[in-house]
């Protein structure tokens, strides 16, 4: 809007409908998706678990992972992120990668250097079964302590044949 010397108000004409639209950044600056990878930083607060689930679901859907397998992977991500947020004092990160179009590798890291352990819980207990779920649903899983904390990972085959996806990522170390 502009005002001319006589005090009249004029409005700028709208931009043409077929003209270039301004680029808008969407999403969080802490989410870094690529065609085969999702990297996410999470605060140590309970709401971050839901954010991790939604981002994981979206990535798996985009990769064409079958729904039943995607549900299992989302459950495992939920368990690992919940444990990390519960025990960590520093930000938590999640990395999900589609490897060679046939399996998903998930890594969850935090600043706590205490390695997780499977423990038997009372049947009436409200917690203590998360790692058992991961062990039951994953093809492989493990943990390693690093100089800055720990990384918990799992690998899950998503189908026997390849999921079509661009080969743009480097090999995974786990």
């Amino acid at each position: 809007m502009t005002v001319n010397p006589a005090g009249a108000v004029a409005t700028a004409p709208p931009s043409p409908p077929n003209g270039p639209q301004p680029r808008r950044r969407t999403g969080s600056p802490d989410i870094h998706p690529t065609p085969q990878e999702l990297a996410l930083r999470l605060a140590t607060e309970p709401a971050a678990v839901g954010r991790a689930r939604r981002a994981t679901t979206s990535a798996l859907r985009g990769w064409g992972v079958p729904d039943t397998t995607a549900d299992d992977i989302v459950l495992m991500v939920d368990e690992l992120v919940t444990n990390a947020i519960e025990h960590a004092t520093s930000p938590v990160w999640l990395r999900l990668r589609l490897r060679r179009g046939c399996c998903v590798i998930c890594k969850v890291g935090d600043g706590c250097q205490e390695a997780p352990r499977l423990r038997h819980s009372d049947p009436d207990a409200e917690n203590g079964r998360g790692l058992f779920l991961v062990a039951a649903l994953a093809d492989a899983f493990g943990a390693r302590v690093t100089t800055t904390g720990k990384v918990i990972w799992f690998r899950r085959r998503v189908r026997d044949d390849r999921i079509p996806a661009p080969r743009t990522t480097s090999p995974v170390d786990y």
Side-chain angles (χ1 to χ4, degrees):
M1 172 167 66
T2 60
V3 179
N4 66 20
V9 175
T11 58
S15 59
N18 295 333
Q21 297 295 320
R23 295 194 72 183
R24 290 185 196 153
R25 285 191 62 152
T26 58
S28 167
D30 292 334
I31 299 177
H32 307 285
T34 66
Q36 290 182 293
E37 184 174 341
L38 168 72
L40 181 64
R41 278 188 200 272
L42 301 163
T44 53
E45 60 187 22
V49 178
R51 184 173 173 226
R53 278 193 310 264
R54 287 187 298 276
T56 298
T57 300
S58 178
L60 295 172
R61 185 176 297 132
W63 297 338
V65 173
D67 288 343
T68 54
T69 303
D71 291 344
D72 290 348
I73 292 170
V74 170
L75 176 60
M76 291 186 284
V77 166
D78 181 281
E79 292 297 335
L80 295 184
V81 170
T82 298
N83 286 349
I85 288 173
E86 184 176 320
H87 299 288
T89 57
S90 63
V92 172
W93 55 266
L94 164 68
R95 177 169 284 166
L96 207 61
R97 181 176 284 182
L98 177 64
R99 185 173 182 213
R100 296 185 184 150
C102 64
C103 71
V104 169
I105 297 176
C106 172
K107 295 179 184 181
V108 176
D110 63 52
C112 177
Q113 291 187 311
E114 184 179 337
R117 55 186 160 78
L118 289 170
R119 60 184 170 124
H120 295 282
S121 61
D122 187 81
D124 296 329
E126 292 184 17
N127 58 18
R129 296 177 190 84
L131 287 180
F132 279 109
L133 283 171
V134 174
L137 296 173
D139 295 323
F141 87 103
R144 69 174 183 247
V145 176
T146 68
T147 58
T148 59
K150 71 175 170 294
V151 176
I152 305 170
W153 61 270
F154 70 80
R155 182 181 65 228
R156 171 70 187 259
R157 180 169 286 283
V158 293
R159 59 172 61 165
D160 292 331
D161 56 336
R162 293 177 57 89
I163 295 174
R167 304 229 353 152
T168 58
T169 60
S170 59
V172 176
D173 62 329
Y174 61 88

